[in-house]
Amino acid sequence: MKRYLRRVRMVEPVVSAAERELFGGPLRYDMGWAEHERAPLDLTMLSAIRSMPRLVGGTLRRAWTADRPALLAVAAGEVGQGIAAAVGLLAVNAVMHALLGTGAAADRLHDALPALVAGALVAVVNAGLAGLSTSRAGRLEPLVERIATTEYLEAATAVELEAIEDPEFRRLIDVAQYGAASARRMIGACVAALNGTISLLATASILTVLHPALLPMLLLIAAPRGWGAMRVAQERYVSVMNWIEHVRASRLIGHLLTERDAAQEVRIHGVGAFLLGKYRAMAESAEGEQKRLADGKALTELVAAALSGLAMAGTYGVMLWLILSGHMGLAVAGTAVIAVRAGSASLGALVMNVNQLHEESLYVQDHDRFLAEAARRAIPAGGRPLPERVDRVVLDQVTYRYPDRDEAALDGVSVELPMGSVTAVVGENGSGKSTLMKVLAGLLLPQSGTVRWGGADLAGLDRSQVFDRVSLLTQDFQRWPVTAALNIRIGRPAREAGPTELRPSVEYAGAAPVVAKLPHGLRSLLARMFRGASELSGGEWQKIGLARTHWRTETCAADSVLIVDEPTSALDPEAEIAAFDAIRRLAGPHRAVVLVTHRMSGVRHADTIYVLAGGRLAEHGSHDTLMAARGRYAAMFETQAAQYAAGPRAGVPHPSAPPVPEPS
Ligand SMILES: Nc1ncnc2c1ncn2[C@@H]1O[C@H](COP(=O)(O)OP(=O)(O)OP(=O)(O)O)[C@@H](O)[C@H]1O
Ligand SMILES: [Mg+2]
């Protein structure tokens, strides 16, 4: 019994031996939805009731925007049901009076008839109102979910890239994704809570009218049930939060066992049987928790029912005394018995609904928090227009540091990109090349220094116009799960184009043989997760990416910048040479091409080569100047050249062979 006097507390999660071995402890994702996990358990009835107006207010506001008549119909339906419940009880009271009156049985039945008919009518009206409310609430639910989802997606696509790369914001995006479904469920929970409240009020007022002593009695009977429902909900919540660790861990293992990328090692290294054993061990500890929870729930409900029963016995005792001492009529007592039963059931349901409302609202609050933060970090709309001709794009003393890093990824870097030129950027891994490209593209705004399009500072320009002038082809360009044609056209999706319009881009990228191999040519779906879709190799995809870039550049007549970041990593040597040639051919009088690559053979023909080292500009100039300077560039170039020139074994360690015994 002692356990019932304590508050339900969060306990440290049970970690199975399997989890310890695999993950070194409980698996805690750095993911948003785990955020409520360790929040103090705030599920007391009082705190739930206190936050109710705000929560319900938010849901009502969404529903009001979604479909006003439907919301009004739901409200009318619910209030109507409350009134019907009260009238129903009055009818019951009248029937009781008639039945328990004096006179012959037939006369009493006759007297009761009008009230019985009225009660039946009220029941019919009640059913009709319930139907109306259900149908309108059902209409509101998807609308509210759509509104919330659209808000979420719109906000997520409108923020600066820096926000997307900020782990804090990513976490928020992650939590907020559950908000829309919760907003939908809140409609149902709100309606149910409203229904519970109104019918409880109706019952309570009728009871007060019948006899003032009945209301406290109702509360006495209902209180243990309310407490039981609350306690079960709290225990479930705590358990879910602890159990989440196991669920996640076993889900991860299930995913690994079926995942395509892991398939080879699962088989060759025998990882399958090993992980399956761990999965079993973890499932067993999770099942133990479920059993504990079910037992606890059964016990709590039993205690609540016993307490409620005691209160009920007490109430009936008091009623008996009231009747015997002439303070209460028999008919009133009969009605009161029915009302008390109905009232305690509504109170139990109300507690559950308020609880659910509270749980869902945690997620809806995250949704609202995300929208507010996303609005703060959105790419500003509007700005000065970008002139059609800009002559050159200049990065002047640009410094950029990622939000979660101490060191700057770019430190006072200046680069000049005249239209009609080809510029190359080289440097070791992590030297800041890709970051420089993101700054150039207008995706990241430098913390100091400026990016200028002609004379205009990027900071004041209409960013959508800047994006319109940039083409970007990166190593990990998006492989959209759509048709081959759309995978090319999506370079400028607003522009309609059929196979004829796309043909030059396909030819240009050398993708014609790739398309010819596809079962339905350009109309083939490129998405391995869908039936009937085709799969391309890494190099074949890169040709599609190049075609997309061509389509994008060819559909922009104004001065523009083409950024190519490591485009050839998956290409065979011949295709690589062809790709570098193709990229150079994209240079035009109104286009500046920037090429980032580790293949030094691809950069020697560039007009200017910039060499980055540790986020700073080490040197720049043409291939010949840089070779003559004998600096970092010359060293990098010669190292790569030497690999091809040297003999097959130069500098490569070979395995030591076990001594082979001389044949005797
Ligand atoms: N999204 C990010 N968040 C935090 N730090 C980042 C992010 N992207 C890159 N960095 C860091 O910034 C530095 C420069 O990275 P960048 O990707 O620009 O290098 P890179 O020259 O393109 O390298 P690579 O040749 O490997 O592509 C690195 O130290 C990297 O760890
Ligand atoms: Mg890079």
Side-chain angles (χ1 to χ4, degrees):
M1 262 322 104
K2 246 201 223 149
R3 56 178 286 212
Y4 290 114
L5 298 176
R6 283 198 311 262
R7 284 190 60 178
V8 180
R9 273 199 312 261
M10 224 40 165
V11 287
E12 267 309 297
V14 187
V15 186
S16 64
E19 280 163 279
R20 271 189 212 293
E21 184 183 347
L22 290 177
F23 313 116
L27 191 63
R28 297 232 171 110
Y29 275 149
D30 199 16
M31 288 233 294
W33 53 276
E35 210 149 83
H36 304 306
E37 247 172 78
R38 304 288 148 203
L41 192 60
D42 190 22
L43 269 183
T44 56
M45 197 64 183
L46 205 63
S47 71
I49 289 174
R50 228 181 284 136
S51 51
M52 209 41 55
R54 190 167 38 86
L55 307 181
V56 174
T59 309
L60 290 185
R61 211 172 323 113
R62 280 204 178 86
W64 186 251
T65 337
D67 188 344
R68 227 166 278 187
L71 181 65
L72 292 174
V74 169
E78 294 303 321
V79 172
Q81 282 178 71
I83 296 170
V87 174
L89 271 181
L90 289 177
V92 166
N93 194 35
V95 170
M96 291 279 182
H97 265 292
L99 290 182
L100 299 174
T102 48
D107 291 341
R108 276 186 276 158
L109 273 178
H110 190 264
D111 288 346
L113 212 56
L116 271 175
V117 172
L121 274 180
V122 166
V124 170
V125 171
N126 198 24
L129 287 172
L132 173 76
S133 173
T134 307
S135 94
R136 292 305 182 267
R139 190 184 293 182
L140 276 176
E141 283 178 359
L143 284 178
V144 166
E145 185 170 10
R146 177 175 41 84
I147 290 177
T149 308
T150 316
E151 281 171 351
Y152 171 75
L153 296 176
E154 245 169 17
T157 49
V159 295
E160 293 274 8
L161 186 69
E162 181 169 283
I164 299 289
E165 302 209 346
D166 180 355
E168 273 303 309
F169 190 77
R170 282 225 61 84
R171 241 194 304 275
L172 198 54
I173 295 186
D174 203 49
V175 217
Q177 66 176 305
Y178 301 97
S182 286
R184 176 197 184 115
R185 285 194 293 267
M186 270 186 81
I187 295 280
C190 266
V191 171
L194 183 68
N195 185 298
T197 313
I198 293 180
S199 51
L200 197 63
L201 283 179
T203 314
S205 42
I206 294 298
L207 278 178
T208 318
V209 170
L210 291 178
H211 197 286
L214 288 173
L215 184 62
M217 287 177 195
L218 166 69
L219 292 179
L220 212 62
I221 294 170
R225 284 183 187 279
W227 165 84
M230 197 62 167
R231 182 97 193 169
V232 168
Q234 286 179 339
E235 279 173 1
R236 191 181 62 82
Y237 182 79
V238 168
S239 165
V240 165
M241 287 312 154
N242 285 335
W243 200 49
I244 258 179
E245 318 269 348
H246 300 273
V247 175
R248 270 183 213 158
S250 28
R251 224 183 263 154
L252 174 67
I253 292 186
H255 181 65
L256 289 173
L257 284 172
T258 52
E259 199 183 45
R260 182 174 170 169
D261 289 345
Q264 297 189 17
E265 283 198 31
V266 161
R267 283 155 185 76
I268 300 226
H269 293 179
V271 180
F274 172 76
L275 284 185
L276 205 57
K278 304 295 168 204
Y279 179 82
R280 220 169 275 132
M282 275 151 51
E284 276 163 17
S285 65
E287 286 153 12
E289 170 63 10
Q290 287 289 285
K291 185 179 165 305
R292 192 191 65 77
L293 191 66
D295 290 348
K297 180 175 183 227
L299 197 63
T300 307
E301 283 177 351
L302 196 67
V303 170
L307 290 176
S308 183
L310 275 179
M312 190 106 59
T315 306
Y316 290 156
V318 173
M319 260 194 220
L320 200 64
W321 176 76
L322 285 173
I323 296 167
L324 292 179
S325 61
H327 288 98
M328 187 186 276
L330 211 52
V332 169
T335 313
V337 169
I338 293 174
V340 162
R341 292 195 75 89
S344 74
S346 341
L347 192 62
L350 183 62
V351 171
M352 301 273 281
N353 291 325
V354 168
N355 236 334
Q356 200 205 342
L357 211 53
H358 192 236
E359 270 186 51
E360 300 293 359
S361 73
L362 289 175
Y363 294 98
V364 177
Q365 273 173 29
D366 291 329
H367 174 87
D368 294 344
R369 203 154 51 87
F370 164 73
L371 289 187
E373 184 65 11
R376 205 177 61 75
R377 305 186 70 155
I379 298 174
R384 271 182 285 114
L386 182 57
E388 172 142 348
R389 299 281 162 241
V390 292
D391 181 38
R392 61 191 55 232
V393 178
V394 177
L395 279 76
D396 190 7
Q397 291 292 319
V398 162
T399 296
Y400 183 81
R401 189 179 58 76
Y402 286 99
D404 58 331
R405 292 294 172 101
D406 295 329
E407 290 194 6
L410 290 176
D411 190 358
V413 175
S414 299
V415 171
E416 199 169 316
L417 309 163
M419 291 299 140
S421 71
V422 176
T423 305
V425 178
V426 297
E428 63 234 20
N429 293 126
S431 56
K433 304 181 297 293
S434 297
T435 309
L436 185 69
M437 294 308 111
K438 287 185 235 170
V439 171
L440 171 63
L443 288 169
L444 297 177
L445 294 178
Q447 276 112 12
S448 69
T450 50
V451 179
R452 288 194 300 275
W453 284 71
D457 190 341
L458 173 77
L461 286 173
D462 181 343
R463 204 90 68 76
S464 64
Q465 290 191 19
V466 174
F467 291 150
D468 214 43
R469 303 282 192 91
V470 176
S471 308
L472 188 64
L473 176 60
T474 59
Q475 182 180 1
D476 48 0
F477 67 91
Q478 190 57 39
R479 298 165 181 203
W480 300 102
V482 295
T483 62
L486 194 55
N487 251 299
I488 298 172
R489 207 195 101 191
I490 209 160
R492 204 173 284 282
R495 187 78 146 248
E496 285 292 332
T500 331
E501 287 84 3
L502 296 176
R503 183 60 47 193
S505 300
V506 173
E507 299 286 348
Y508 160 87
V514 178
V515 173
K517 252 189 5 197
L518 291 171
H520 311 290
L522 278 174
R523 277 184 295 114
S524 312
L525 178 60
L526 305 181
R528 68 178 173 211
M529 60 277 218
F530 299 122
R531 196 186 302 169
S534 311
E535 172 73 351
L536 296 184
S537 77
E540 287 169 337
W541 260 115
Q542 240 154 2
K543 290 178 184 167
I544 297 287
L546 195 57
R548 181 189 304 164
T549 309
H550 179 267
W551 170 247
R552 180 161 175 85
T553 53
E554 288 306 299
T555 43
C556 179
D559 283 357
S560 65
V561 171
L562 166 61
I563 300 170
V564 194
D565 191 349
E566 306 252 18
T568 59
S569 56
L571 295 184
D572 58 53
E574 242 173 80
E576 183 177 71
I577 296 170
F580 278 132
D581 264 355
I583 291 163
R584 271 195 295 275
R585 272 188 283 122
L586 277 178
H590 298 301
R591 194 173 300 133
V593 179
V594 191
L595 173 63
V596 175
T597 181
H598 288 289
R599 313 284 166 107
M600 304 306 280
S601 54
V603 306
R604 62 183 302 168
H605 302 295
D607 298 310
T608 314
I609 300 159
Y610 288 84
V611 184
L612 283 183
R616 289 165 196 249
L617 196 57
E619 52 187 346
H620 70 283
S622 68
H623 172 76
D624 294 337
T625 348
L626 290 174
M627 286 307 279
R630 316 265 351 120
R632 202 174 271 266
Y633 177 81
M636 285 165 77
F637 193 89
E638 277 161 10
T639 313
Q640 276 195 12
Q643 274 182 353
Y644 296 113
R649 294 209 152 174
V652 180
H654 18 119
S656 52
V660 180
E662 288 287 319
S664 53

